[in-house]
């Protein structure tokens, strides 16, 4: 196997390309229907938050946690290779409670995380304010997760793209793949919208929310459905940095970046491929941010945007080989955590493809977990 085609140039496709390159592959091509890194990966908030985003110490939590642990090294290697700092920020994350129900929820979270041996602190309102003085005085208590971090996801995409360019990974933009071409159970190549054919020894679908739109010869390809879940976000700007940590409530979150930028998110909407902001969506995100910190109420919205999260019907990633094919793989459906999960996804999938190394994560998140009722 020598030539590799990766379809989709989001964080997952780019991270896979880098990992294949690190293993010594020379002929790697990324085909992207738009521009590299401009879809969900660009829209994301960049939170690396296993403890805020999961509800149990299960396989998904372990997958998130392992990937989070890879980030310091991932950031350093990218910086060495590209001179781009992806701004890994390890100040931690707060999770606030404003109501009785919120309090119950964060205490439950505190218990399972303590039982699992994770670092987590339950803070009083006074302790919370000491850490973040601009948090609402209405917050009752909070959890502090020192190991939930954030990264500047747009810089991460620029760094991964630069890595590809510096290492002769071919990037072909504005080229939509429409068909997968098989001979018996082997993929021979792909066809683009303009009818152009590309052949390859191995193909990986890293096509995010659009994965189910690619055509194939039914009898052969069994892929579970992936659908888009829209998220709308906004940002504010302040002259100096008001917050040091990512701050969640049960309804929203704010992410303070360097230089006074504050992101706020996000809606969760099952409305198909309509990738745009709406007045109601933006207002909801703004209100949820103001609940976290009333200091945001008088700030104008600096930027607003939306993105489509790739969602499988059990909310978990879909990774690994596609059944009944020999050389077709996928890494998709990372839903709310694709930025966090990019390093581990690339590592376990490329290890499987190149060294035939199995992983408990490929077992858990493989396509075989779906029954045929979910197949397209
Ligand atoms: C508002 C919002 C906030 C988020 N916040 C976070 C967060 O804080 N932390 C986190 O970890 N995750 C977050 N996520 C989730 C994260 O953004 C996604 O899980 C991740 O970006 C998925 O990466 P991807 O590469 O699979 O998808 P994408 O970035 O969407 O990339 C897929 C690419 O494939 C291309 N493509 C699709 N079909 C074809 C085709 N047929 N031919 C050629 N190219 C094709 C698309 O154009 C696209 O560029 C957030 C998402 C949203 C929307």
């Amino acid at each position: 196997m020598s030539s590799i085609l990766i379809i989709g140039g989001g964080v997952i496709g780019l991270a896979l390309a880098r990992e294949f390159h690190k293993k010594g592959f020379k002929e790697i091509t990324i085909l992207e229907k738009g521009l590299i890194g401009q879809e969900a990966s660009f829209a994301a908030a960049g939170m690396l938050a296993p403890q805020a985003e999961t509800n149990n110490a299960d396989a998904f939590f372990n997958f998130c946690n392992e990937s989070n642990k890879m980030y310091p090294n991932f950031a350093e290697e990218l910086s060495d290779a590209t001179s781009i700092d992806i701004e890994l920020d390890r100040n931690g994350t707060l999770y606030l409670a404003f109501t009785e129900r919120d309090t119950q929820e964060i205490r439950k979270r505190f218990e399972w995380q303590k039982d699992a041996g994770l670092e987590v602190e339950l803070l009083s309102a006074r302790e919370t304010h000491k850490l973040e003085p601009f948090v609402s005085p209405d917050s009752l208590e909070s959890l502090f997760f020192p190991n939930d971090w954030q990264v500047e996801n747009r810089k991460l995409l620029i760094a991964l793209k630069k890595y590809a360019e510096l290492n002769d990974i071919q990037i072909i933009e504005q080229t939509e793949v429409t068909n997968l071409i098989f001979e018996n159970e082997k993929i021979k190549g792909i066809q683009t919208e303009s009818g152009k054919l590309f052949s390859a020894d191995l193909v990986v679908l890293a096509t995010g929310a659009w994965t189910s739109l690619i055509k194939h010869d039914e009898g052969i390809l069994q892929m579970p459905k992936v659908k888009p879940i829209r998220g709308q976000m906004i940002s504010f700007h302040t002259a100096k940095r008001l917050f040091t940590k990512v701050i969640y409530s049960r309804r929203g979150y704010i992410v303070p970046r360097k230089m006074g930028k504050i992101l706020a998110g996000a809606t969760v909407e099952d409305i198909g491929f309509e990738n745009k902001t709406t007045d109601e969506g933006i207002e909801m995100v703004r209100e949820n941010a103001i609940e976290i910190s009333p200091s945001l109420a008088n700030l104008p919205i600096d930027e607003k945007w939306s993105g489509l999260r790739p969602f499988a019907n059990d909310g978990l990633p879909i990774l690994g080989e596609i059944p009944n094919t020999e050389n077709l793989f996928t890494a998709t459906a990372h839903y709310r955590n694709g930025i966090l999960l990019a390093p581990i996804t690339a590592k376990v999938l490329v290890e499987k493809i190149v060294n035939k190394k199995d992983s408990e994560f490929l077992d858990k998140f493989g396509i075989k977990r779906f029954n045929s009722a979910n197949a397209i």
Side-chain angles (χ1 to χ4, degrees):
M1 176 214 328
S2 58
S3 60
I4 294 168
L5 261 185
I6 296 169
I7 308 176
V11 73
I12 299 297
L14 288 164
L16 282 164
R18 170 179 173 269
E19 200 68 29
F20 277 118
H21 174 263
K22 281 175 62 184
K23 294 275 183 212
F25 286 81
K26 301 272 181 267
E27 273 184 72
I28 306 166
T29 303
I30 302 175
L31 289 173
E32 166 54 50
K33 70 176 170 58
L35 297 175
I36 286 288
Q38 293 298 304
E39 294 291 352
S41 306
F42 184 83
M47 295 176 297
L48 308 175
Q51 287 176 246
E53 285 281 325
T54 55
N55 295 319
N56 294 299
D58 57 8
F60 181 63
F61 170 76
N62 292 337
F63 195 48
C64 290
N65 207 24
E66 287 303 309
S67 202
N68 200 34
K69 285 192 208 148
M70 290 171 74
Y71 251 94
N73 200 31
F74 185 53
E76 198 179 314
E77 282 184 12
L78 275 174
S79 167
D80 290 347
T82 66
S83 305
I84 294 171
D85 174 10
I86 63 169
E87 296 176 16
L88 176 65
D89 175 330
R90 298 206 247 172
N91 284 328
T93 294
L94 277 179
Y95 201 124
L96 307 179
F98 288 98
T99 64
E100 196 48 44
R101 199 164 155 227
D102 293 354
T103 305
Q104 280 168 12
E105 149 68 29
I106 72 166
R107 291 201 170 202
K108 215 164 93 191
R109 195 173 280 267
F110 179 70
E111 291 307 326
W112 79 253
Q113 298 198 353
K114 271 283 173 213
D115 288 349
L118 302 169
E119 269 189 74
V120 54
E121 290 170 41
L122 182 60
L123 304 180
S124 66
R126 181 195 285 261
E127 289 165 329
T128 305
H129 282 103
K130 226 170 149 193
L131 280 183
E132 291 288 1
F134 290 96
V135 150
S136 169
D138 296 337
S139 74
L140 302 172
E141 58 186 24
S142 71
L143 294 184
F144 175 49
F145 310 119
N147 298 320
D148 273 11
W149 304 327
Q150 60 148 315
V151 70
E152 218 304 10
N153 47 296
R154 295 181 185 178
K155 290 216 172 138
L156 169 62
L157 293 162
I158 294 170
L160 287 169
K161 185 177 178 206
K162 186 164 176 197
Y163 183 97
E165 288 164 349
L166 290 172
N167 292 292
D168 294 325
I169 295 169
Q170 199 185 7
I171 291 179
I172 306 178
E173 296 181 306
Q174 313 278 21
T175 302
E176 181 170 356
V177 173
T178 48
N179 277 292
L180 306 176
I181 303 164
F182 287 90
E183 194 171 80
N184 300 321
E185 291 185 350
K186 252 188 133 187
I187 189 159
K188 274 197 335 188
I190 60 88
Q191 186 173 29
T192 70
E193 198 182 24
S194 67
K196 201 168 168 193
L197 301 174
F198 287 81
S199 59
D201 297 321
L202 188 130
V203 175
V204 187
L205 301 180
T207 33
W210 297 265
T211 303
S212 294
L213 301 186
I214 297 180
K215 295 198 194 87
H216 52 83
D217 179 350
E218 256 170 273
I220 293 177
L221 192 61
Q222 289 171 14
M223 271 290 286
K225 271 195 191 108
V226 178
K227 70 174 179 179
I229 299 290
R230 183 170 71 188
Q232 301 186 45
M233 304 242 332
I234 56 177
S235 68
F236 305 98
H237 194 267
T238 52
K240 67 177 180 95
R241 192 170 170 168
L242 296 187
F243 310 94
T244 58
K245 299 171 199 353
V246 172
I247 308 176
Y248 274 79
S249 73
R250 280 182 61 238
R251 291 157 288 282
Y253 52 76
I254 61 171
V255 182
R257 295 274 208 248
K258 272 188 173 171
M259 317 293 284
K261 185 171 179 169
I262 302 164
L263 314 189
T267 60
V268 179
E269 301 165 271
D270 185 0
I271 44 86
F273 285 95
E274 237 181 280
N275 193 5
K276 59 171 195 179
T277 59
T278 61
D279 290 347
E280 311 79 71
I282 294 302
E283 191 45 34
M284 194 174 101
V285 171
R286 187 172 161 273
E287 277 170 16
N288 290 335
I290 292 169
E291 182 190 38
I292 290 172
S293 174
S295 328
L296 301 173
N298 297 323
L299 295 176
I301 292 175
D302 212 33
E303 193 192 340
K304 53 186 178 177
W305 66 93
S306 65
L308 302 176
R309 307 175 184 92
F311 179 80
N313 71 2
D314 59 1
L316 298 172
I318 306 177
L319 303 180
E321 49 207 330
I322 296 182
N324 306 329
T325 66
E326 285 177 23
N327 52 348
L328 178 61
F329 293 80
T330 192
T332 187
H334 291 80
Y335 190 37
R336 293 171 63 99
N337 292 290
I339 304 296
L340 167 62
L341 292 171
I344 197 149
T345 295
K347 182 175 168 222
V348 299
L349 192 59
V350 171
E351 275 290 339
K352 172 73 183 174
I353 292 170
V354 177
N355 296 329
K356 309 270 175 270
K357 192 171 163 203
D358 287 320
S359 129
E360 54 166 317
F361 299 125
L362 291 175
D363 263 4
K364 288 279 179 200
F365 307 127
I367 294 183
K368 287 187 181 146
R369 74 181 189 270
F370 292 91
N371 61 36
S372 56
N374 293 319
I376 43 175

